[in-house]
Each structure stands twice: as structure tokens, then as C-alpha cells.
Amino acid sequence: MQEWANQLCENRQFGSKMTDSKYFTTTKKGEIFELKAELNSDKKEKKKEAVKKVIASMTVGKDVSALFPDVVNCMQTDNLELKKLVYLYLMNYAKSQPDMAIMAVNTFVKDCEDPNPLIRALAVRTMGCIRVDKITEYLCEPLRKCLKDEDPYVRKTAAVCVAKLHDINAQLVEDQGFLDTLKDLISDSNPMVVANAVAALSEIAESHPNSNLLDLNPQTINKLLTALNECTEWGQIFILDCLANYTPRDDRESQSICERVTPRLSHANSAVVLSAVKVLMKFMEMLPKDLDYYGTLLKKLAPPLVTLLSAEPELQYVALRNINLIVQRRPEILKHEMKVFFVKYNDPIYVKLEKLDIMIRLASQANIAQVLAELKEYATEVDVDFVRKAVRAIGRCAIKVEQSAERCVSTLLDLIQTKVNYVVQEAIVVIKDIFRKYPNKYESVIATLCENLDSLDEPEARAAMIWIVGEYAERIDNADELLESFLEGFHDESTQVQLQLLTAIVKLFLKKPTETQELVQQVLSLATQDSDNPDLRDRGYIYWRLLSTDPVAAKEVVLAEKPLISEETDLIEPTLLEELICHIGTLASVYHKPPSAFVEGSRGVQHKRLPGSGGSGESVDSPDTTSAAGVSEAPPAVIPSQGDLLGDLLNLDLTPPTTTIPAPSSGMQMGAVDLLGGGLDSLLGGDLGGSPAIGAAFGAPPAAAAPASFSAPVGGGLDDLFDLGGGVGMPLGAYSPPKTIWLPATKAKGLEISGTFARRAGVIQMEMTLTNKAMSVMTDFAIQFNRNSFGLAPAGPLQVLAPFTPNQSIEVALPLSTVGPVMKMEPLSNLQVAVKNNIDVFYFSCQYPISILFLEDGKMERQVFLATWKDIPNDNETQFQIKDCYLTSDTASNKLQGSNIFTIAKRTVEGQDILYQSMKLTNGIWLLAELRVQAGNPVHMVSLKCRAPEVSQCVFQSYEAILKN
């Protein structure tokens, strides 16, 4: 819309004698017929007026597509103004009228050879904007001529047209050799042609990150730097952005480029300045810090950044967001410019908050007095958000600059004396952090804080005050009364306050046990019995169990020495900061997020790194493996370390173990031993340290339905051979990986577990060898799995015959079901396991081959296979190579069928056998495959199609393992 309106305004320069606004006035009915007649008029002026009316109607959203043939007939004219208008109409309606748009092709071809370069450029520009596949192939020849036109204006327009055409039909552009022509234009004598060629190639390279179109070398860089001085400001931005993707060979080349880019820092356009800063920030990484030029460059970077802050507020904000990144990477650039970040009274709030953030980052011992005086002033402002941030900033100064801590605390106490509610609350929050940073130094102010207890109404401030009371309970005479006052409205408090109150009262109890026994019982009862919040209940039970079983351990845990808080907790993570520095001057630098976080559906988003910091300094493509986004985004579940297992250990059944192993039965309760956290309820049937009331409040979890039979034959028996087990007969040659050590004895107090997975007679089994390398007998084994991608769970108990004596090894086959809880893992086939015995609980993770999940009824009908293959989108197809595999197609088919990968059909094309195969997972997902095998060729190709493409990588791994073993 804006473009059409601009064109209309532009057209006034061609001699319009009266204003064009009349064309936008409300029109009467039947106007289309009148316009049709006017468009076919013999009079040129009348025809031009009619086209203007049509464009005006189109601009305000009226449908004038019915006039398409009449408007197209007006193309045959020498009048440039009329031609522009017709082309404008054509761009808008060509997509909805593709058959009619073909009528205009001849005119385009003719206009591309017009003596007037403006008309040639206009024709090629319009061609690029008509996104109709039928027309594009007719436009290749005119575009080729325009790319080699004698007039630079036409060449620069044609360069951009190549990028537009590539977006419509990439293959056509590559086949016609336009990309090579575009690369040649980088050496053009006209700087604007060079800039547009760079812009076009950059655009294409972004959507095809692996194409290596912009093959930058010192010669190309030299040409770009030469063009940089002469082209327009937007051309300079394109060239600078392109330079930022180059990695110099050494520090000399880096310095040479920096010297030639530095003059751009004084440009009037702020976008050019930021693009130049981006290039210099990147290339500075390669300069030795002891080099004289390095110091000179640092000094040169400061003035342009300061100048950006004299622009209008919106530009200031963008500049400040970029400066925030620069200061985190190189604070020395602006260390002497603190005053420019002082807040002005008329700054908008978003500028004020950003300036405040940068002030803290630049705060040092040299300027802290100045900064604190400013911050104290800000704390008396009227804008509540700004005042809060200013008070927090004082606290951050105290944590960052140790020498200023005392002055900061004094300033905060002065602010508390103002009795302004929100100031007092923010001050208490930051004083809590100061106590964490400097323990046993400023506790004398606690009395002042306690005076303001009644005025606290915000959760964060209340939680901070409760933490202070709990942490320093031994110094506060009436700590129990203070905490009891909070306890009165326990259920009305936010979760943050409830959790802090629970911890504070437990701390108080451990410090003053005789006086506060009733108080701690009250809070534990409120947290566990009367609360629906799982976090609060879990923490309550942890404390209850600790206090009732081992008070000494409770003291060590709850009153443990806390690590000092970091001076900069809000710094951007270093690898993300590097990437954002490479995106200075773009939206990423304003959002402080990588482009991949907000550019939807773009395949071309690249992760960039500064040179020397990530191995290669060039742009690194995003690790785009064949697994789908769903898997890569799933947070990896981590096995907790031995020192961090409180939550899980509480789920153990702590009743005396039985020595006999219960016989498997269909009604066996599977909730008795909950090793990996299925809820605390299972323990509450027993005594919790003298609190039977709690046991009554919660019942044991419902018994999980177990399969009718747990017993599965261990491979190699007659049952397998003659299928006497009642299951589906195991096809000959089913693949099972060799056993590997899952749990070494050194990590499990002498218990070593090695194992593998197999599918035998339709039953999934976890086959393990348990070895006792300890000096004592092991008994009472139990096993549990964490939630996993396919719901694998033990279908019966872990049957280890007692006693398991030292140096003994036992073979165990544990049948598995696939009806357990599901959670996507990374990688998909990861399984986290907990094994318990009389000594301890041990954790390990292993990976199962996905082939154990392939069902025996996975053979698809041919017609269904064909229809399904067509129905699954092509984007879901992934291709893999299996190397060093010398098999015929028949041998491969038989091997795969042994693992329930069924061949549906086979055909031979040019000496290559193509097998079409299907398999079905236990969760109902079907996978279709095409395996290409050529006699004598050790490389087999497999293409996998599935509605859940994230499983394809695992399936390929199974293909490879089955065929190679």
C-alpha cells in the first residue's frame, strides 16, 4: 500500500496540474463500467486519468481486477508515468489473474530493449515483483540482457531482480547461470551495482546457508572496500554486513580492513555507524591487545556511540540496547563516558531503564561516588518503575564494587527512612543480596529492617525479609514472634513466601530447638497436609524426614554455608553474547535474542561466532541434524548426581526389606518401590517420625496394572525355537547389540551392571549381567525407569536370587512393557534407570536400539504403502548413507525382516535394487523406507518417511547396526 501511495506522489512530478487527492474520493455505483470505457478511450489524457482512478481504487482496497485486460492494453505507450501506473496494477493483480498476466510478457521483453534506461529498469523491476511461475521462464532472457546492460542503473535493478526470482524459483536461477553473473557484478565499476549484487547474494545465501555463494577472499574484500566509499548509505550497510561475515587470515589483514572501515563511524546515518561498529568489534578479536592500533581503535569507537545518544528517543533506545552488548564485551570502550548515560528528566521510561542498566555495567571504583549520587537522586523520582530499578541499581553497585558497599548500605538506609512503601520494599530485597555477598559485615542494620516489617505487602520483599530473619535468627531476639506473625496468613501468601517461610522456620528450629518445636510442627503440617502446591509439599516432606531421622544431617543441609553471589548475575551468556555482537544493528541486538528465537520457519538462520572464540571464526550453520525440532527442543533430562538426590531418595520404601522374592502375578502392586520420583504419596502409609496423622491423610498410590505374565524365556531355549512361549515366533536372525557396561563397579559400591536389549518372541527384554565386586552380600534388588520417549517400564520385579555373594555374576532377563509414563528424551532412545539394593540406590543411563520397538504386525499392504508414502509430506523425508556394507538386496531384506522391518516390494532400476519397506512402532507410529542396494557398491542409501520425523535418526542407526552385524 505504502509503495503504491509513494508511486502516486512520485507521479506528480510528471506534470500533474491538479492534486491527485480527487482520485481517492468516494465513488458512485457502476463506476467499473465507466472506467472500462475510459480505459479504451483513444484520448491519451483520458486513458491516463482512468488508470489513476483504477490505482486509487486499488490503493483503498477496492477490487478492480475485472479491469485487468483493459489496463494491460494501456501498456503499449511511450508515456513513462502511465507505464509506471500500469506496472503497479500488474504487480498487484498478476497472482490472482496468472493467465491474463501472460499477455503482458511481450511488452516486458520489448521494454527491456527500450532506448530509455529508466523504462528498461522499470520493466526488469516489475518482472521481479510478479510472482507467477508461468511467467518467470519467459523473463529469463530479458533479465540476462539487463544484467549486462551498459547502464549501471539497469544493472543494479537487475541484480535485485535475481534475488526476487530466486525466491520464486531457485532451480531456474541456478540453471540459467544468474548466480555466476551476480558474482561477476561484485567486480563492477559502479559502486551501486556492487552494493546491490552483494545485497542480492546475501539474501540468497541467507535462505541457502550451505550454498557458499559469497565466497569471500582478499581480492573480493578489496573490491568491496573500494566500493564502500562511493555508494549510497544503504549500499554501505549491505557491504559492511557482508564484510562482517568474513574472517581475515591474520591480524595484519584484520587491521587493514579496520583502517578502511573506520571512516564510516562518522557517517550521518546511524545504521551505517552500527554496521561499521559490528565489523570493527568482530575484527578487533584478531588484533593483539598490545598493538598501538588496538588502543587507537578503542578510542575511535567511543565518540560515534555517544553521538547516537543525541538522536530521538526511539533511535536512542536501539543505540542503548546495542551499547549494552558492546559494554558487556568491551567495557573499556566507554569507561570514561559515564556522564552521557546519566538520565535526563524528559527521557522516556524505556530509555531511562536502559541507561540505568549501562551505568551499572560501567560502574567502577573510579566513578562509583558519582554513580551513587545520581542513583540516590533517581530514587526520589515520581516514576515508580524507575525508582525501583534505581534502588536495585544501588544494591548491584554494592555487589560489584566492594569498596563502595558501605556507602551503598548507608544510602539504602537513608532511603528506608523515607518510609515510601515501594522504596522500602526494594531496599530490603537488595539488602538481602548484600548480606549474601558480604556475610557478617552489615548485620547491624537488621533492627532497622525489622521496624518496617508491617509495611511489606509485596511477595518478593516479604520473602527477602523472611530470609533475613531465618538466616540471622540467632541475632534476633524475637525471631520466632516475627515468623509466627507471617504464619497466621500462610495460605494467603504467594508460593515464594510460603517456601521461604518454611525454610526460615526450619532454620530457626535448628538454631533454637527448645523454643520453636511447636512452630516447626505447625509449619510442616501446613505445608504438607493443607497445601495443594507440590513444590511446597515436597519441601515440607524433605524437611520432615530429615528432622525425624537425622537432625545432624538436617543441620548440615539446611544451615550449609552458602556460596557468595556473583557480582554480575544478569550478564548475557558468553556464547550468546558473541552471536549478538555479530548481529549488532539488527533486531537481534535489540531483543537480545538470537535470530533463531524470533525468525519463524526460516531455514537460513545462521549461528555466528566471533573469530578465535569458536574454533572457526566464520558463520557456523545451526546444527541442523535430521531430527525434528521437537526433539532438539526437548530439555535433556539429567541423571541427578549422588549429592543431589534428596527428592528421589525420599521416594524409597524405607520399611524393612523382605528376603523372599514375591512370585510374579497379574495383580502385583507396582507402586511399592518408587525410585525415580512418582510422588511421595507411596511412603505416607508408614510412620513419618511420629506423625501417623499424615499417613492417614494420604493413601498409597493405586496399583499399576501389570501384564498377565512377567516370565519371558531367556534367549536360546527350546521355547524360542518352537515358539512354545505363546508369543509370536521370533524371526531367524533378530539383531541384539552386544552387552556393554552400563554401571561400573567404581560408581556403584561394587555392583557392576552390563547389559543389552532384545526382542524375543514379541517380548522386549533388558538382558543384564550383574557382578558383585564388593566384599559383602547384596540383597533386596529393585529397579525403576524414569519417564522416557516410548513409555518403557519394567513388566515385573528384578529377580535376583538371594544371596548374591561377592565375586558372583548373575544373568538376569527383565521383561519390559511399553505402557509406562512418556516424556521425550534427548537423544530419543535414552533410558534413565535406578537400581536399589540393600546397600544404596544407583543411577545410570543407557540407550536402547529402536528396533526392539518394531512390532510383528508391521507389514503394510502394497496399496496402503503407496498411498501413505504420497500422503506424508516430502519435508518429512530424510536420507542417510550406510557405508562399508557389502550385502545383496536379498541378504539385507532377510536381515532386516529378522528385526520386524518388512519388505513390501522390490524393483530393479539400472542394476540397482530398490526395496520398499515398512515397520510399526509400539506407540502406533508407522515408518516407511526405501533402501537402495547395488551389487559391488559398499554404500547403501536409505530414505525414511514418517509423520514423526524425529524418530528417523534412531531408525537409521538401527538399520546400520542390523546390516553391519
Side-chain angles (χ1 to χ4, degrees):
M1 283 289 184
Q2 185 65 43
E3 191 180 336
W4 301 332
N6 289 346
Q7 283 275 19
L8 272 177
C9 294
E10 193 183 314
N11 288 338
R12 295 178 65 178
Q13 68 186 330
F14 290 97
S16 300
K17 291 178 182 170
M18 49 202 306
T19 175
D20 287 334
S21 61
K22 62 175 183 173
Y23 299 114
F24 292 92
T25 53
T26 311
T27 51
K28 52 193 179 295
K29 288 182 181 178
E31 185 194 20
I32 295 287
F33 298 107
E34 288 180 21
L35 287 171
K36 199 177 185 77
E38 288 177 23
L39 286 167
N40 292 307
S41 167
D42 295 332
K43 295 180 181 176
K44 286 186 178 178
E45 277 305 313
K46 202 165 188 180
K47 198 180 271 192
K48 187 160 75 174
E49 290 291 306
V51 174
K52 282 188 176 183
K53 288 178 188 174
V54 171
I55 297 293
S57 300
M58 180 177 82
T59 306
V60 295
K62 290 180 184 171
D63 183 13
V64 284
S65 57
L67 298 169
F68 198 94
D70 306 287
V71 176
V72 169
N73 284 337
C74 299
M75 280 177 78
Q76 307 293 341
T77 177
D78 296 331
N79 187 307
L80 185 58
E81 182 184 8
L82 182 55
K83 199 176 275 286
K84 273 190 173 186
L85 292 168
V86 173
Y87 278 179
L88 210 53
Y89 177 90
L90 201 60
M91 279 189 263
N92 192 43
Y93 284 116
K95 201 162 190 178
S96 58
Q97 307 262 358
D99 296 328
M100 299 291 286
I102 291 179
M103 292 165 49
V105 168
N106 285 335
T107 313
F108 281 134
V109 174
K110 190 178 165 191
D111 281 354
C112 282
E113 295 178 0
D114 194 279
N116 186 344
L118 288 176
I119 289 180
R120 296 202 299 274
L122 180 63
V124 79
R125 179 188 292 141
T126 310
M127 279 165 26
C129 294
I130 296 177
R131 303 179 64 83
V132 178
D133 284 334
K134 289 182 181 178
I135 294 180
T136 47
E137 56 195 63
Y138 296 110
L139 305 178
C140 291
E141 210 46 52
L143 178 57
R144 185 176 282 106
K145 288 179 183 174
C146 288
L147 281 166
K148 296 182 178 174
D149 197 282
E150 60 186 24
D151 192 286
Y153 182 72
V154 180
R155 294 201 301 277
K156 85 177 183 70
T157 309
V160 176
C161 185
V162 173
K164 291 181 178 177
L165 193 60
H166 189 275
D167 194 38
I168 301 165
N169 190 338
Q171 195 58 49
L172 180 72
V173 170
E174 287 166 26
D175 294 345
Q176 293 286 339
F178 288 145
L179 293 180
D180 294 327
T181 314
L182 211 50
K183 288 178 188 175
D184 293 340
L185 288 182
I186 290 181
S187 308
D188 198 278
S189 57
N190 187 285
M192 269 319 298
V193 177
V194 175
N196 277 20
V198 167
L201 284 168
S202 301
E203 183 80 20
I204 294 168
E206 272 187 24
S207 58
H208 294 72
N210 299 322
S211 56
N212 198 25
L213 284 174
L214 274 164
D215 185 16
L216 298 174
N217 53 52
Q219 291 73 33
T220 313
I221 294 296
N222 195 38
K223 288 169 188 169
L224 294 182
L225 288 166
T226 305
L228 186 63
N229 299 323
E230 300 171 44
C231 56
T232 66
E233 50 196 24
W234 297 113
Q236 291 182 29
I237 292 166
F238 288 132
I239 290 174
L240 287 166
D241 287 349
C242 180
L243 287 172
N245 292 327
Y246 175 64
T247 303
R249 293 168 303 176
D250 51 36
D251 57 345
R252 284 182 63 189
E253 189 186 2
S254 184
Q255 182 176 339
S256 168
I257 294 171
C258 288
E259 284 169 352
R260 295 176 71 177
V261 168
T262 308
R264 300 301 107 210
L265 292 173
S266 54
H267 201 284
N269 186 318
S270 51
V272 176
V273 174
L274 283 176
S275 290
V277 168
K278 171 168 62 182
V279 174
L280 296 172
M281 283 292 290
K282 182 174 179 181
F283 290 179
M284 277 173 77
E285 295 290 329
M286 296 191 69
L287 296 177
K289 292 196 175 182
D290 55 358
L291 195 70
D292 289 343
Y293 180 71
Y294 180 85
T296 309
L297 195 54
L298 285 178
K299 288 175 188 169
K300 285 184 178 176
L301 275 168
L305 293 172
V306 170
T307 306
L308 291 176
L309 299 182
S310 56
E312 50 267 37
E314 293 79 9
L315 278 179
Q316 274 189 59
Y317 179 71
V318 172
L320 286 165
R321 292 292 282 175
N322 280 278
I323 287 168
N324 202 326
L325 297 174
I326 292 163
V327 163
Q328 287 185 55
R329 184 73 190 174
R330 297 201 179 280
E332 63 269 27
I333 292 175
L334 289 161
K335 67 180 178 184
H336 299 304
E337 305 292 343
M338 175 65 85
K339 282 192 175 177
V340 298
F341 300 106
F342 286 174
V343 171
K344 296 174 186 165
Y345 75 95
N346 58 350
D347 280 339
I349 182 65
Y350 54 88
V351 171
K352 284 181 175 179
L353 295 177
E354 205 56 40
K355 281 185 173 180
L356 209 50
D357 206 34
I358 294 168
M359 280 171 65
I360 307 306
R361 299 203 191 287
L362 291 175
S364 64
Q365 197 175 343
N367 57 26
I368 194 69
Q370 214 178 8
V371 172
L372 275 179
E374 278 290 306
L375 293 176
K376 191 173 181 182
E377 195 67 34
Y378 300 160
T380 59
E381 289 272 345
V382 289
D383 191 311
V384 176
D385 285 338
F386 180 52
V387 171
R388 286 177 182 277
K389 184 103 179 194
V391 176
R392 293 223 169 186
I394 294 171
R396 281 175 62 190
C397 282
I399 290 164
K400 185 175 182 187
V401 186
E402 189 171 347
Q403 293 81 355
S404 73
E406 198 159 330
R407 190 182 291 176
C408 292
V409 171
S410 170
T411 306
L412 289 168
L413 287 176
D414 290 346
L415 292 173
I416 288 173
Q417 298 305 333
T418 63
K419 301 293 182 188
V420 177
N421 188 269
Y422 55 86
V423 175
V424 171
Q425 305 206 69
E426 284 297 330
I428 286 174
V429 171
V430 297
I431 285 174
K432 179 204 76 172
D433 290 338
I434 293 171
F435 284 171
R436 283 286 307 275
K437 177 72 176 174
Y438 308 110
N440 305 316
K441 206 167 181 185
Y442 300 108
E443 283 74 15
S444 55
V445 306
I446 291 174
T448 313
L449 303 184
C450 292
E451 290 168 14
N452 295 280
L453 211 57
D454 298 336
S455 65
L456 307 180
D457 53 17
E458 292 170 14
E460 198 175 359
R462 289 172 75 82
M465 194 64 226
I466 290 166
W467 181 87
I468 291 169
V469 174
E471 188 68 16
Y472 300 102
E474 69 278 12
R475 301 183 185 204
I476 304 169
D477 296 336
N478 60 341
D480 52 342
E481 290 172 25
L482 297 177
L483 292 176
E484 197 169 1
S485 66
F486 283 107
L487 206 57
E488 288 164 8
F490 186 79
H491 291 302
D492 300 327
E493 299 284 7
S494 69
T495 305
Q496 182 184 8
V497 176
Q498 289 177 333
L499 287 166
Q500 200 57 264
L501 192 53
L502 171 61
T503 302
I505 290 175
V506 171
K507 283 180 185 175
L508 178 65
F509 171 70
L510 291 168
K511 291 174 181 180
K512 301 178 179 179
T514 51
E515 304 159 38
T516 54
Q517 195 165 353
E518 197 176 315
L519 188 61
V520 79
Q521 283 184 341
Q522 188 184 348
V523 77
L524 287 172
S525 176
L526 285 169
T528 54
Q529 284 178 273
D530 303 344
S531 173
D532 295 330
N533 185 304
D535 288 343
L536 188 63
R537 283 175 53 202
D538 281 2
R539 191 182 289 191
Y541 284 129
I542 287 172
Y543 287 151
W544 200 309
R545 178 54 58 94
L546 271 171
L547 293 170
S548 60
T549 56
D550 192 348
V552 177
K555 205 161 191 173
E556 286 174 8
V557 171
V558 181
L559 300 180
E561 195 173 324
K562 289 154 198 66
L564 297 182
I565 59 174
S566 132
E567 66 175 46
E568 286 289 2
T569 52
D570 59 341
L571 284 177
I572 293 174
E573 193 266 324
T575 51
L576 173 58
L577 181 61
E578 284 184 14
E579 187 173 354
L580 294 178
I581 292 287
C582 294
H583 289 292
I584 282 176
T586 68
L587 273 178
S589 66
V590 179
Y591 291 157
H592 286 188
K593 290 179 181 176
S596 53
F598 58 87
V599 180
E600 288 186 10
S602 171
R603 293 171 299 149
V605 172
Q606 293 177 300
H607 292 290
K608 300 182 178 181
R609 293 282 177 270
L610 292 174
S613 52
S616 160
E618 295 183 19
S619 303
V620 182
D621 297 348
S622 59
D624 184 19
T625 58
T626 48
S627 63
V631 178
S632 60
E633 285 171 13
V638 181
I639 291 288
S641 63
Q642 288 293 338
D644 190 27
L645 294 174
L646 275 175
D648 291 323
L649 289 175
L650 280 178
N651 293 328
L652 291 175
D653 183 2
L654 296 173
T655 53
T658 55
T659 51
T660 56
I661 296 169
S665 67
S666 58
M668 178 181 172
Q669 183 170 319
M670 293 296 292
V673 181
D674 183 12
L675 300 182
L676 275 174
L680 283 150
D681 300 357
S682 57
L683 2 109
L684 298 178
D687 179 33
L688 255 183
S691 183
I694 297 181
F698 296 90
S709 172
F710 295 131
S711 56
V714 177
L718 285 173
D719 283 6
D720 284 339
L721 197 59
F722 297 109
D723 190 24
L724 299 177
V728 179
M730 183 185 76
L732 201 63
Y735 170 68
S736 174
K739 284 184 179 176
T740 55
I741 293 177
W742 287 339
L743 184 66
T746 52
K747 291 189 177 179
K749 299 182 180 176
L751 174 65
E752 183 183 275
I753 301 178
S754 58
T756 184
F757 294 86
R759 187 178 185 90
R760 305 195 188 282
V763 177
I764 302 170
Q765 292 191 352
M766 187 178 190
E767 297 179 354
M768 293 176 283
T769 302
L770 274 61
T771 305
N772 183 355
K773 295 187 176 180
M775 302 300 289
S776 57
V777 173
M778 294 183 182
T779 57
D780 313 314
F781 281 85
I783 191 167
Q784 189 168 341
F785 297 172
N786 204 348
R787 292 184 296 170
N788 54 79
S789 305
F790 294 93
L792 285 177
L798 181 61
Q799 299 199 11
V800 179
L801 295 172
F804 187 22
T805 56
N807 299 318
Q808 184 183 0
S809 289
I810 296 178
E811 300 288 332
V812 179
L814 178 71
L816 306 181
S817 72
T818 54
V819 294
V822 174
M823 179 179 78
K824 259 187 185 171
M825 303 295 285
E826 178 65 26
L828 208 60
S829 58
N830 195 27
L831 182 66
Q832 298 181 337
V833 183
V835 172
K836 171 193 175 243
N837 63 13
N838 61 320
I839 296 172
D840 207 340
V841 185
F842 309 108
Y843 296 82
F844 65 88
S845 71
C846 53
Q847 290 188 33
Y848 49 88
I850 205 168
S851 55
I852 64 168
L853 304 172
F854 294 162
L855 294 174
E856 284 70 15
D857 62 347
K859 188 164 185 176
M860 203 179 254
E861 293 295 325
R862 285 192 183 198
Q863 294 305 317
V864 178
F865 180 98
L866 195 61
T868 309
W869 185 278
K870 288 179 180 175
D871 190 47
I872 296 174
N874 288 335
D875 288 348
N876 285 22
E877 182 176 349
T878 42
Q879 296 186 332
F880 306 90
Q881 285 187 343
I882 301 173
K883 297 178 179 177
D884 303 320
C885 189
Y886 297 88
L887 294 177
T888 64
S889 58
D890 290 339
T891 311
S893 178
N894 289 336
K895 274 195 162 202
L896 292 166
Q897 185 152 341
S899 295
N900 295 338
I901 300 173
F902 299 98
T903 301
I904 312 295
K906 173 184 170 182
R907 67 190 179 103
T908 305
V909 180
E910 296 177 354
Q912 188 178 49
D913 290 341
I914 304 174
L915 305 179
Y916 298 94
Q917 299 173 317
S918 72
M919 61 223 86
K920 181 184 176 184
L921 290 169
T922 50
N923 58 3
I925 292 176
W926 282 90
L927 286 115
L928 311 185
E930 180 191 81
L931 178 65
R932 292 172 178 263
V933 180
Q934 189 161 17
N937 186 350
V939 179
H940 300 345
M941 294 294 298
V942 60
S943 301
L944 295 168
K945 251 191 173 188
C946 178
R947 297 194 193 280
E950 52 263 55
V951 301
S952 297
Q953 179 71 29
C954 292
V955 173
F956 159 67
Q957 288 166 357
S958 282
Y959 257 78
E960 196 173 39
I962 293 165
L963 293 177
K964 284 188 173 185
N965 290 281

